[in-house]
Amino acid sequence: MPIRGGLPPRNPRFVGRETLLTHMRDLLGNGPVVLLPSPEHQLGGTGRTQLAVEYAYRHAEAYDLIWWIPAEQTAGTRSALAGLAQRLGVPEAHDLNRTLAAVRDALSRGEPYRNWLVVFENANRPEDITPYLPSGAGHVLVTSRNPRWTAEVAQALPVPVLDRVDSVDLLRARAPELSAVDADRLAARLEDVPIALDLAAAVRETTGRSVGGYLEDYERRAGELAFPTPIRVAWGLAAEALGAAAPADRALLELCTFLASAPISWRLLWAARTLPLDPELARTVRVERRLRAAMRRIARYGLAGLDPAGERLTVHPLIRGMFGQELSSEAHAALLRTVRGMLAAADPGDPDDPAGWYRYAELAPHLVHSDLLGGDVEEVRQLVINCIRFHYARGDYDSSRDLASAAVARWRDRLGESAEQTLLAAFHLANALRAIGRKDDARNLNLQTLRTQREVVGADDETTLATANSVGADLRMQGHFGQARQLDADNLVRYRRLFGESYPTALRCANNLAADLRLLGDFRGARALDEQVLRHRLAIFVEGHPETVASRAALAFDLFGLGDYAGAAEVIAVRPGDTVPADHPFALWAGRCAAMAARRRGDPSARGLAEANLAMSRQRFGDLSVDTLAAAVSAANCARADGDLDGAHHLLERAVARYHAVLGDDHPFTLAASAGLAGVVRATGRHGEARTIDQEVLVGLRRSVGPDHPFTLSCANGLAADLVAAGEAQPARELAADTLRRSRAVRGPDHPDTVACAWNLALTDGDETVRQQALDGLVKVFGDGHPVFRVTAAEQQVETEVDLPPL
């Protein structure tokens, strides 16, 4: 049996369509096929979805994998494809776009399944699914109401009404006692339209109505309509019969008019129990047993599908539309308010918690059909904000941006630009914009939002502080580390005053301030803060929680910066209870620091650790992420330490080019990576080229982070070596002496990089006593047998290469 995902149950009453099924099979061999309504029934109802379901079951043995994707909304499509990624064994990337591209590519390659069937249901906008269409040996089947599919995308296959013989068989399958003559009469009046036939059969079966009685009612109903069609008349009779038998059931179904075609769980409908409702409807929804019974009755009248477990109703778009057209404007408004309240009542809260994501995935498809953005109560708008955050938290930045952008536009007009929830939506929109690489747009929007929040709700409001934190992230991304420190320090004072120092958000703010200090080269200050945050988090969370992993990784980078490589390795060692996956962003930070510490300690395992970390970072974040680029720099340092100068040069050359593209020419990270590239160029003997790079980089670093920053000192140390190679002894000695003096003041006399600078200066002096003292200092710091002594034995300069901390 093939692996199945999301495939609806097989229709046991499916009849006919043999020629169509055969033709579909033949067409699929030539590429994607889209099932469309026939020209005479462009609104649908001809059984496209049932045909796709039947095909999937009938040919199941030909496939290793069958995956059903609801494609009415882009967010639903992306969610279903993310589920397919897990089944294919595609590693989850931080950005869902990368995961979905990997899914498409894995299917196209036939890995791990060569024979597969992917069905996109209700894909009414070809452009929405085109980026996800795989090629290869598998098959793609689409159902759609939109006739504007081009042959380049998919082969169109119109689905007509049933043949009369098949219509008769369908009716008699539901009522074996029905004569062929009566079935023919009924099928003729319903014009062989599948959905109308199914509604008529369901009503007759449930009510016991005779064919003659049903046809009399049919004519009556048709006479009441200006434009009677078989679907509209059959629907009207089914809705009428349901309303007569159980008015509360019809009222419940009318609520579904404002929900999507996605399955509607009883739990969602049950959420309406807290709302003011008609007494009979209230009695139905307040008790699970009665609610489930109502769902079964609705399904028996053919007005919705019900899954075998009786958990979820699915209402056909045509059925939804017809209920909506029957409602008065007053009833429409009242039901819409109820549905919005029901959705808000079903909000699980805390969209950052993966445990509740399945519930948000269930709610999110209904936001559009219920026009939740137009809700006039705060809790309804809060659900929109939580769904924006849910999409962001699971890595679907495009869906987060789209929903946030729509919310900002609607709420600015409806509520005003300075309304609290307009500003909240703008805050989340900026986060999504930053995540998709639109850093300037994110920064500008955040600054505008922060100014407005400070004017309207004050600097101490929790929402203002959240936006200020986001502005701090923008500043770090721009390389304005000092400005970020000032802002985050002010935020931390306010958070602690309002909530206390152990409040989770206050701890995140402290974490941000520590990151600023680390980026400024103040590793002692960062360490003090990170140790404090780690203590608080260990008191709040279990060991191995992502927050504690983040704190341990941050503390490890602090210790590394202080030259305590053994301490850095110890603080991030795997502990019992660690459950964070190896490719989690915080785990990747820790893994990179472990490789860095191993390299500085002379451990030969360093390169393998760094290369594995880089591979996972690429998979998780993509090649242009600042995390991946930092991992590439660390991997290049390990390759160089391993003697592979070509490999180090290749990694650094690409990283520098990408830093220029992502962060800009003058960003400290771009400059620091360029200094690393100069070091590799210098090691290959191209001293003039290295000197040119180092001179330009040193000017940029002195201007951006100052002369005492570790990045600047590392570059100055390299430039001194360039000058030595050029025979400029006096300038080299002066620069080396200045670098040593600054390193002693900033990092301390016993820091490994300070001791390396002392050795380099000793080489320029030629004094054997000074040189021996410098060598003794290296032995004290690194211990006997360290690879650094191969460099000193050759009387060469010791490099002080840069590893970049997380932004």
Side-chain angles (χ1 to χ4, degrees), residues 93-114:
H94 194 56
D95 181 352
L96 187 60
N97 282 337
R98 299 195 65 255
T99 301
L100 303 190
V103 167
R104 180 197 59 213
D105 295 344
L107 290 172
S108 299
R109 294 192 305 269
E111 298 174 358
Y113 306 109
R114 176 175 173 78

Side-chain angles (χ1 to χ4, degrees), residues 151-399:
E152 290 79 13
V153 178
Q155 306 160 88
L157 180 60
V159 179
V161 299
L162 291 171
D163 295 336
R164 179 58 50 79
V165 172
D166 294 335
S167 297
V168 169
D169 288 345
L170 185 152
L171 291 169
R172 297 188 74 192
R174 295 285 293 260
E177 76 285 355
L178 185 64
S179 70
V181 173
D182 282 343
D184 188 89
R185 276 202 302 152
L186 191 54
R189 192 66 187 90
L190 296 170
E191 299 179 15
D192 302 303
V193 178
I195 193 171
L197 292 168
D198 193 63
L199 284 164
V203 169
R204 287 191 62 255
E205 181 180 8
T206 303
T207 64
R209 198 171 302 177
S210 67
V211 171
Y214 184 86
L215 289 174
E216 287 178 9
D217 289 337
Y218 190 97
E219 298 305 331
R220 169 184 58 78
R221 178 71 178 173
E224 297 169 355
L225 299 173
F227 301 101
T229 65
I231 297 176
R232 179 171 294 280
V233 176
W235 164 81
L237 293 177
E240 182 182 274
L242 176 64
D249 295 357
R250 172 166 177 152
L252 182 67
L253 185 56
E254 285 174 344
L255 293 179
C256 299
T257 298
F258 299 93
L259 299 174
S261 297
I264 304 163
S265 76
W266 70 267
R267 289 181 179 83
L268 175 54
L269 297 171
W270 193 45
R273 69 190 184 280
T274 61
L275 306 174
L277 303 170
D278 172 84
E280 279 299 308
L281 179 57
R283 181 177 182 274
T284 297
V285 300
R286 285 173 184 163
V287 177
E288 177 190 343
R289 170 178 52 82
R290 295 193 195 113
L291 176 58
R292 287 175 175 267
M295 294 168 65
R296 291 194 295 271
R297 286 191 295 270
I298 290 170
R300 281 203 296 270
Y301 280 89
L303 291 164
L306 185 66
D307 68 326
E311 296 273 334
R312 293 175 174 83
L313 281 176
T314 304
V315 185
H316 193 283
L318 284 177
I319 301 294
R320 291 194 346 256
M322 288 177 196
F323 269 111
Q325 292 173 17
E326 289 284 310
L327 296 172
S328 67
S329 58
E330 294 80 7
H332 186 282
L335 282 169
L336 185 56
R337 280 195 301 271
T338 300
V339 169
R340 289 169 173 168
M342 178 179 74
L343 289 166
D347 185 353
D350 194 5
D352 288 300
D353 184 0
W357 286 356
Y358 78 97
R359 296 176 65 187
Y360 278 112
E362 183 180 84
L363 292 173
H366 303 298
L367 266 61
V368 173
H369 292 275
S370 62
D371 188 26
L372 219 64
L373 294 175
D376 54 4
V377 295
E378 186 176 16
E379 56 266 30
V380 170
R381 293 191 291 270
Q382 186 60 45
L383 172 58
V384 175
I385 289 170
N386 285 349
C387 285
I388 293 169
R389 181 63 189 180
F390 152 69
H391 288 311
Y392 181 91
R394 68 190 299 268
D396 190 355
Y397 304 132
D398 284 350
S399 295

Side-chain angles (χ1 to χ4, degrees), residues 300-551:
R300 281 203 296 270
Y301 280 89
L303 291 164
L306 185 66
D307 68 326
E311 296 273 334
R312 293 175 174 83
L313 281 176
T314 304
V315 185
H316 193 283
L318 284 177
I319 301 294
R320 291 194 346 256
M322 288 177 196
F323 269 111
Q325 292 173 17
E326 289 284 310
L327 296 172
S328 67
S329 58
E330 294 80 7
H332 186 282
L335 282 169
L336 185 56
R337 280 195 301 271
T338 300
V339 169
R340 289 169 173 168
M342 178 179 74
L343 289 166
D347 185 353
D350 194 5
D352 288 300
D353 184 0
W357 286 356
Y358 78 97
R359 296 176 65 187
Y360 278 112
E362 183 180 84
L363 292 173
H366 303 298
L367 266 61
V368 173
H369 292 275
S370 62
D371 188 26
L372 219 64
L373 294 175
D376 54 4
V377 295
E378 186 176 16
E379 56 266 30
V380 170
R381 293 191 291 270
Q382 186 60 45
L383 172 58
V384 175
I385 289 170
N386 285 349
C387 285
I388 293 169
R389 181 63 189 180
F390 152 69
H391 288 311
Y392 181 91
R394 68 190 299 268
D396 190 355
Y397 304 132
D398 284 350
S399 295
S400 182
R401 174 205 57 198
D402 292 345
L403 183 55
S405 180
V408 169
R410 285 284 295 276
W411 294 348
R412 277 177 175 166
D413 291 340
R414 184 182 178 90
L415 306 174
E417 189 167 353
S418 60
E420 179 183 1
Q421 287 175 313
T422 304
L423 295 170
L424 273 174
F427 161 75
H428 288 293
L429 175 58
N431 282 343
L433 290 172
R434 188 192 304 116
I436 62 174
R438 292 170 56 182
K439 299 185 293 297
D440 292 341
D441 292 337
R443 181 187 67 248
N444 293 334
L445 179 57
N446 265 330
L447 288 171
Q448 176 186 343
T449 302
L450 182 60
R451 282 194 299 268
T452 305
Q453 285 175 321
R454 284 174 170 169
E455 292 171 2
V456 174
V457 295
D460 283 347
D461 187 84
E462 189 171 3
T463 60
T464 306
L465 291 173
T467 305
N469 275 336
S470 191
V471 171
D474 293 331
L475 291 169
R476 282 192 293 277
M477 190 65 71
Q478 292 174 269
H480 301 323
F481 305 146
Q483 294 178 39
R485 178 190 59 189
Q486 291 177 349
L487 180 60
D488 288 331
D490 179 70
N491 288 347
L492 183 57
V493 170
R494 295 176 187 276
Y495 265 119
R496 286 178 170 174
R497 183 174 66 245
L498 292 169
F499 304 107
E501 66 178 14
S502 62
Y503 188 70
T505 314
L507 293 176
R508 293 190 194 108
C509 187
N511 184 80
N512 292 345
L513 178 57
D516 300 332
L517 295 173
R518 189 163 48 248
L519 289 165
L520 287 165
D522 183 2
F523 297 109
R524 290 184 181 85
R527 175 183 180 176
L529 264 178
D530 281 325
E531 286 179 334
Q532 185 181 55
V533 171
L534 179 58
R535 284 196 301 272
H536 284 300
R537 283 179 167 169
L538 287 173
I540 297 171
F541 305 111
V542 297
E543 184 69 84
H545 187 280
E547 300 272 3
T548 64
V549 173
S551 281

Side-chain angles (χ1 to χ4, degrees), residues 763-781:
L763 285 180
T764 66
D765 283 342
D767 186 317
E768 287 299 327
T769 302
V770 173
R771 187 176 301 187
Q772 186 60 48
Q773 289 174 345
L775 189 61
D776 292 342
L778 288 170
V779 173
K780 179 181 177 182
V781 169

